[in-house]
Amino acid sequence: DAGVIQSPRHEVTEMGQEVTLRCKPISGHNSLFWYRQTMMRGLELLIYFNNNVPIDDSGMPEDRFSAKMPNASFSTLKIQPSEPRDSAVYFCASSLSPGDTEAFFGQGTRLTVV
Amino acid sequence: QKEVEQDPGPLSVPEGAIVSLNCTYSNSAFQYFMWYRQYSRKGPELLMYTYSSGNKEDGRFTAQVDKSSKYISLFIRDSQPSDSATYLCAIFNQGGKLIFGQGTELSVKP
């Protein structure tokens, strides 16, 4: 398996634009996580899904952020409208089952909003 | 109070030194304690985990949990330049969320 695949690897966009980040989890994994990493705040959990169902989105910073998982092999994180403070590295991770100690991370998407 | 807290460092040591990385956590009900390693511009990878309290050893790495003080540690013996990375502790909270500490940036100088 190729691991967790995220796209794009880098995204530069202007303030106010819509940004969509994509993730393909490892086949057979039932849990999917979206994290955001910054120097100031570290790795923050935004939302996680079990069996394609959002379980906890309390980490989503505001209504500008939304995430979907239409099927077991694809998830998106959307920011609309984007702001400079959204600049960060966004990671997607998947694990075999809820509560599994090992989550496998993608390479991340480095987002810069100017 | 954050559920898990970690000193971000940075920490710089000479090659061969013993490294001690530490975290504190807030809830005595937590049972699983993980250490992830993150190289520059990569995603974190699981290094090792412990269940409940006690020690777990894997080569040069030892993970330790002290539940009485809610303290978790990672020790690296005979540190190598290839150990230079950010080390993140993590816990599963009551809601089943995988929560990370801020990470400690370690640099091992040849």
Side-chain angles (χ1 to χ4, degrees):
Chain A
D1 201 317
V4 175
I5 299 173
Q6 291 185 246
S7 63
R9 290 293 309 277
H10 302 274
E11 176 83 34
V12 180
T13 191
E14 291 186 346
M15 183 174 63
Q17 295 298 306
E18 177 180 297
V19 176
T20 299
L21 312 181
R22 297 174 175 78
C23 175
K24 182 181 188 309
I26 293 173
S27 176
H29 281 194
N30 296 310
S31 295
L32 183 138
F33 310 85
W34 281 102
Y35 287 89
R36 176 172 68 176
Q37 188 173 39
T38 60
M39 288 290 291
M40 289 297 294
R41 302 174 68 89
L43 197 60
E44 300 174 280
L45 178 63
L46 301 177
I47 185 171
Y48 77 99
F49 297 82
N50 284 339
N51 298 312
N52 313 339
V53 176
I55 302 300
D56 191 321
D57 65 354
S58 59
M60 297 285 258
E62 45 198 278
D63 291 345
R64 298 184 297 107
F65 286 69
S66 62
K68 293 182 180 179
M69 192 165 186
N71 57 62
S73 58
F74 185 65
S75 177
T76 59
L77 178 68
K78 185 177 293 186
I79 308 172
Q80 167 64 19
S82 57
E83 297 182 4
R85 60 193 168 120
D86 302 330
S87 297
V89 181
Y90 290 81
F91 285 102
C92 174
S94 70
S95 66
L96 195 57
S97 59
D100 197 339
T101 54
E102 185 162 19
F104 293 82
F105 283 75
Q107 296 274 53
T109 294
R110 184 173 296 272
L111 173 65
T112 303
V113 183
V114 298
Chain B
Q1 182 187 7
K2 289 185 178 180
E3 292 179 286
V4 60
E5 301 206 49
Q6 184 176 9
D7 184 344
L11 182 62
S12 182
V13 301
E15 183 176 352
I18 296 174
V19 176
S20 173
L21 304 168
N22 307 292
C23 292
T24 58
Y25 62 94
S26 62
N27 192 327
S28 57
F30 296 157
Q31 295 279 39
Y32 286 95
F33 306 92
M34 286 72 71
W35 284 97
Y36 280 73
R37 179 172 60 193
Q38 184 178 21
Y39 290 112
S40 180
R41 299 189 175 270
K42 301 285 188 183
E45 294 178 309
L46 180 67
L47 186 59
M48 57 195 306
Y49 76 92
T50 54
Y51 173 74
S52 193
S53 61
N55 291 3
K56 186 172 185 177
E57 192 172 314
D58 183 2
R60 296 183 294 109
F61 297 85
T62 300
Q64 190 174 80
V65 178
D66 182 346
K67 297 203 83 176
S68 62
S69 57
K70 297 183 208 162
Y71 204 76
I72 52 179
S73 302
L74 178 71
F75 299 97
I76 307 174
R77 292 188 304 279
D78 187 24
S79 56
Q80 303 294 308
S82 58
D83 296 329
S84 298
T86 296
Y87 291 80
L88 303 107
C89 58
I91 54 92
F92 272 110
N93 75 354
Q94 299 295 83
K97 295 196 287 189
L98 182 58
I99 305 296
F100 286 84
Q102 190 158 352
T104 300
E105 185 181 350
L106 171 67
S107 177
V108 181
K109 304 294 186 184

